[in-house]
Amino acid sequence: MTVSEMMNIGLMQGFAGLSLFAVLLLMGLGLAIIFGQMGVINMAHGEFMTIGAYTIYLGSTLTATHAPQWTPYYFPVAIVAAFFIAFAAGWLVEWGLIRHLYKRPLDTLLATWGISLAMQQSFRSFIGPKEVSPTLPDWLLGSWAPAEGLDIPINGMFVLALTAVVTAGVLIALHKSRWGLRVRATVSNRVMANSIGIDTKKTDRLTFAIGCGIAGIAGAAFTTIGSTGPTSGSLYIVDAFLVVTFGGAASLLGTVVSAFGIAQTQSITEFFLAGSMAKVITLSMIVLILMIRPQGLFASKVRR
């Protein structure tokens, strides 16, 4: 094998890692908002991702059945729908359960784990136990070949662009919008935020719902690289928590950096080793780094 071929393989494997990075980052962003900003351990976060993935699948099915001429255009609309459906589901979960469990992290863990199991069973009952895949529009298929022997999938580039837009939107919203100001004030000092007229309960509910909506977008991105089943989201929940913990629970920049590092390490090691061994090596490296720096890569500077 020539040096050029080795470089092309390395670049394609690295780009495969970028596709995983995109999904992990979108999952991690939602968790960073819910876990890092609110202290809620949401074990059902993967199921909100699955809601987004199933929304894309149902949008594909309905379009193919009732309006096949719209097949090239349904995907962006379905992504927006995935966000709002997961957002609405998150709003209901926060209103019905989570709002009673703040400051009780173990209780939120157990309660959301129960919600996770219930949602998985609902997916099996109403959609089916088998994995499904949407029919992607033609413009998402194929690859781009910038050089001979180097093929970069178009769907991967689209997912990266989508992730960049969502990440930039979250960062701008947290630092420039009224919602972001209220979130930061609530995280800094909840009692003081209440005293100056901020409705912290409403802020908590909106924040939880936005985090779930971002998970829905992660599910939409996931459909471009894998099939969806009732337990698809649960396969990513551990990695998503690792991303948030490794990067620093209250740091969105840390979430971006840790998602990139974990995805690339796992993708590159999978090329040389078995998938399970690659996972072990990745986890071992994270554990060693956290032993040295338990607060994560980017520690929070918020005063408690």
Side-chain angles (χ1 to χ4, degrees):
M1 184 176 292
T2 66
V3 175
S4 176
E5 290 174 337
M6 286 290 293
M7 288 182 61
N8 287 341
I9 291 173
L11 287 172
M12 287 189 288
Q13 197 67 21
F15 199 87
L18 288 179
S19 298
L20 176 61
F21 155 72
V23 176
L24 287 182
L25 177 55
L26 289 172
M27 284 285 285
L29 279 178
L31 270 185
I33 292 173
I34 295 172
F35 176 54
Q37 306 291 335
M38 303 169 63
V40 173
I41 301 175
N42 182 18
M43 293 301 293
H45 197 70
E47 279 57 53
F48 290 102
M49 169 185 160
T50 307
I51 287 176
Y54 275 131
T55 300
I56 299 294
Y57 168 70
L58 292 176
S60 169
T61 303
L62 291 174
T63 301
T65 303
H66 301 289
Q69 68 274 17
W70 290 99
T71 299
Y73 315 108
Y74 88 88
F75 199 78
V77 177
I79 292 175
V80 176
F83 172 82
F84 282 107
I85 292 174
F87 176 96
W91 183 284
L92 290 174
V93 168
E94 200 282 340
W95 174 80
L97 180 64
I98 301 299
R99 66 189 175 108
H100 304 292
L101 301 176
Y102 288 119
K103 304 298 182 182
R104 295 157 60 185
L106 182 59
D107 291 349
T108 61
L109 186 152
L110 294 174
T112 54
W113 183 51
I115 291 174
S116 168
L117 296 177
M119 292 174 71
Q120 288 179 25
Q121 187 56 46
S122 298
F123 298 147
R124 292 188 185 95
S125 300
F126 294 104
I127 300 178
K130 296 181 179 180
E131 292 190 346
V132 295
S133 298
T135 301
L136 297 177
D138 291 339
W139 54 268
L140 272 178
L141 305 178
S143 62
W144 173 53
E148 185 178 354
L150 178 60
D151 294 311
I152 299 176
I154 293 174
N155 59 357
M157 292 190 290
F158 174 81
V159 168
L160 281 178
L162 174 66
T163 303
V165 170
V166 173
T167 303
V170 170
L171 291 173
I172 291 171
L174 275 175
H175 292 92
K176 299 295 183 181
S177 71
R178 291 175 62 87
W179 165 73
L181 179 63
R182 290 169 180 168
V183 169
R184 288 183 285 118
T186 302
V187 170
S188 179
N189 192 320
R190 182 176 293 270
V191 175
M192 185 62 72
N194 274 316
S195 69
I196 62 174
I198 294 176
D199 188 342
T200 56
K201 292 183 178 180
K202 183 177 179 181
T203 301
D204 288 338
R205 189 164 305 150
L206 181 59
T207 302
F208 188 88
I210 289 174
C212 294
I214 295 172
I217 297 177
F222 173 75
T223 60
T224 66
I225 60 175
S227 56
T228 305
T231 60
S232 292
S234 62
L235 301 177
Y236 283 84
I237 187 65
V238 173
D239 287 340
F241 269 109
L242 281 176
V243 165
V244 175
T245 305
F246 184 48
S251 172
L252 293 184
L253 176 60
T255 300
V256 176
V257 174
S258 63
F260 180 82
I262 291 172
Q264 288 298 323
T265 301
Q266 189 167 319
S267 178
I268 292 172
T269 51
E270 280 181 353
F271 180 73
F272 298 100
L273 303 170
S276 57
M277 185 56 66
K279 178 78 74 173
V280 168
I281 291 174
T282 304
L283 291 176
S284 299
M285 291 176 61
I286 293 172
V287 169
L288 288 174
I289 294 173
L290 288 177
M291 288 175 66
I292 299 171
R293 191 175 175 82
Q295 71 272 34
L297 296 177
F298 295 82
S300 172
K301 297 181 180 179
V302 177
R303 290 180 296 174
R304 300 292 182 185

